[in-house]
Amino acid sequence: FGGVGEPRSEYQAQAHPARAIEKVLSLGAYRIDRTEVTNAAYSAFSAMNDATGISHPYYMPDVEDLERTADASSPASGMTWREAMAYCAFMGKHLTSSPEWEKAMRGGLEIEGQKNPAPRRNFPWGTMLRSHMANLNDETPKGVRAVGSFASDTSPYGVVDLAGNLSEWVSSALAGKDPQIFFSRAPTRVIRGGNWLDTPLDLLLNYAPIENIRPGDSRSFNLGMRCAVDPAREHQ
């Protein structure tokens, strides 16, 4: 977890000293959504807005680059951090933590009993920076795509769209910060991964391995989520 990774992220080394310290973490078993939460999935929750006060995101499909934002197979975007937390709880899950997100992207030290060939990878597919591997700002046409549209943007565990499509809220405090202080005093929350709007290929190393922050009440067409769950909870 953390470290400058491979290929080396100079941004990580210079801008975020706490994240630049590599750690080996042992996580409990968890399952993670293979895709970002889609509009179709989120609608089951947003349809209960009379009870929750949380409505479906308002999209503008007539605006250039936003034509596909409301598609059922597109990832839901435009929810705040608290709304993302509420959706995952409604589904009996939790908003993915930063370590869970990063393990899904890099793989564990071993994968299915075999040594991970690139456990420090900074891209889901490995250590090489290549164009057209993910839905980033360089793609044409621009805009969100249906989840899983970029087959190359797949992690060792088969999790898709971690590098591109949408950046994603996570539940953790910023690395190096005391969680109690961070969540009680800071208006910002952590996001992971790149996206179609503000992540060109040459800046992917500033997004894929990094913890970025946004105001927790932000709503953006390039920001979504995915959930995780402890397998034991699935049978409760």
Side-chain angles (χ1 to χ4, degrees), residues 28-87:
Y30 67 98
R31 299 183 186 275
I32 188 170
D33 290 345
R34 189 179 70 85
T35 74
E36 293 158 332
V37 174
T38 63
N39 283 307
Y42 196 72
S43 64
F45 172 65
S46 60
M48 302 175 61
N49 65 306
D50 286 346
T52 65
I54 300 174
S55 300
H56 202 77
Y58 175 74
Y59 298 125
M60 296 182 288
D62 295 332
V63 176
E64 186 179 6
D65 298 338
L66 300 180
E67 296 90 345
R68 294 177 294 274
T69 50
D71 291 355
S73 58
S74 291
S77 60
M79 72 289 297
T80 67
W81 181 83
R82 289 186 180 278
E83 289 170 351
M85 293 278 286
Y87 168 81

Side-chain angles (χ1 to χ4, degrees), residues 92 230-236:
D230 176 346
R233 290 199 62 187
E234 294 181 305
H235 306 292
Q236 293 180 353

Side-chain angles (χ1 to χ4, degrees), residues 78-202:
M79 72 289 297
T80 67
W81 181 83
R82 289 186 180 278
E83 289 170 351
M85 293 278 286
Y87 168 81
C88 291
F90 169 76
M91 297 299 294
K93 305 179 183 182
H94 61 265
L95 187 64
T96 307
S97 70
S98 190
E100 288 170 339
W101 191 98
E102 191 155 321
K103 184 174 182 178
M105 190 268 282
R106 285 179 162 172
L109 295 178
E110 293 187 353
I111 302 171
E112 297 183 352
Q114 301 296 317
K115 185 178 179 180
N116 185 345
R120 294 178 176 85
R121 70 185 70 205
N122 276 336
F123 312 121
W125 53 83
T127 60
M128 298 297 292
L129 185 61
R130 300 190 182 104
S131 60
H132 309 301
M133 299 289 281
N135 186 21
L136 303 174
N137 182 258
D138 307 279
E139 294 299 320
T140 303
K142 287 185 171 58
V144 74
R145 307 286 182 88
V147 295
S149 293
F150 284 69
S152 298
D153 190 358
T154 302
S155 82
Y157 293 124
V159 182
V160 302
D161 295 331
L162 289 164
N165 221 13
L166 298 184
S167 296
E168 302 167 19
W169 292 115
V170 295
S171 61
S172 304
L174 195 65
K177 301 294 184 181
D178 179 276
Q180 185 173 357
I181 295 175
F182 181 81
F183 288 117
S184 63
R185 299 181 184 177
T188 55
R189 296 293 181 261
V190 178
I191 66 170
R192 298 300 308 264
N195 62 77
W196 67 267
L197 180 61
D198 57 19
T199 313
L201 182 69
D202 61 358

